[in-house]
Amino acid sequence: MNARLVKFGEIEVEGKRYTHDVVIDRGKVRKRKKGPSKQFREKFGHTPLSSREEIPWGGKRLIIGTGAHGALPVSDEVLAEAKRRGIEVITAPTLEVCQLLKEAKKGRAYAVLHCTC
């Protein structure tokens, strides 16, 4: 699956550009709805990825792009839920995880990609 961080605040997935965070679930791209995580903003200093969001749990590996500078916090609850489900979690700056997505077949990619900070 082809994904790349075009620039700060812009990501491209399979040739289509987005100016917001995206979720890739079985290869389908949708906007990340981070509203449920906003209540944790003060605790983390930034809106984190929390278990209240619609996380794409379908695969054996969840790839989390933590932004251009790697600043997206991932809550402990997300990591605990992944462990409970037997899912490997890979977190790294978005530029780096886009390289990992190239290894995933289009219909088997599960990821959350943050395109700023």
Side-chain angles (χ1 to χ4, degrees):
M1 177 156 222
N2 290 317
R4 70 184 181 101
L5 184 64
V6 176
K7 62 183 179 181
F8 188 89
E10 188 172 348
I11 194 160
E12 183 177 278
V13 181
E14 293 297 308
K16 185 172 180 185
R17 291 192 181 193
Y18 301 89
T19 56
H20 53 73
D21 294 0
V22 297
V23 173
I24 301 170
D25 190 350
R26 292 180 303 272
K28 295 181 180 166
V29 181
R30 63 178 159 82
K31 182 177 183 176
R32 175 183 168 218
K33 296 178 183 173
K34 57 186 176 179
S37 295
K38 286 190 177 190
Q39 64 184 315
F40 304 112
R41 185 179 194 150
E42 194 171 306
K43 176 182 176 184
F44 287 90
H46 185 292
T47 301
L49 178 65
S50 81
S51 59
R52 303 252 172 123
E53 293 183 40
E54 293 179 42
I55 307 289
W57 295 119
K60 294 181 181 192
R61 180 168 78 166
L62 175 63
I63 298 171
I64 302 172
T66 56
H69 305 293
L72 176 72
V74 178
S75 73
D76 290 339
E77 290 82 12
V78 169
L79 301 176
E81 181 63 19
K83 185 175 182 178
R84 185 187 74 75
R85 292 173 181 249
I87 296 172
E88 174 189 14
V89 176
I90 298 172
T91 61
T94 301
L95 185 64
E96 293 176 33
V97 298
C98 285
Q99 295 301 313
L100 290 173
L101 281 170
K102 288 182 180 181
E103 299 170 11
K105 292 180 181 174
K106 188 174 180 182
R108 296 182 183 234
Y110 299 87
V112 178
L113 303 177
H114 184 58
C115 63
T116 57
C117 65

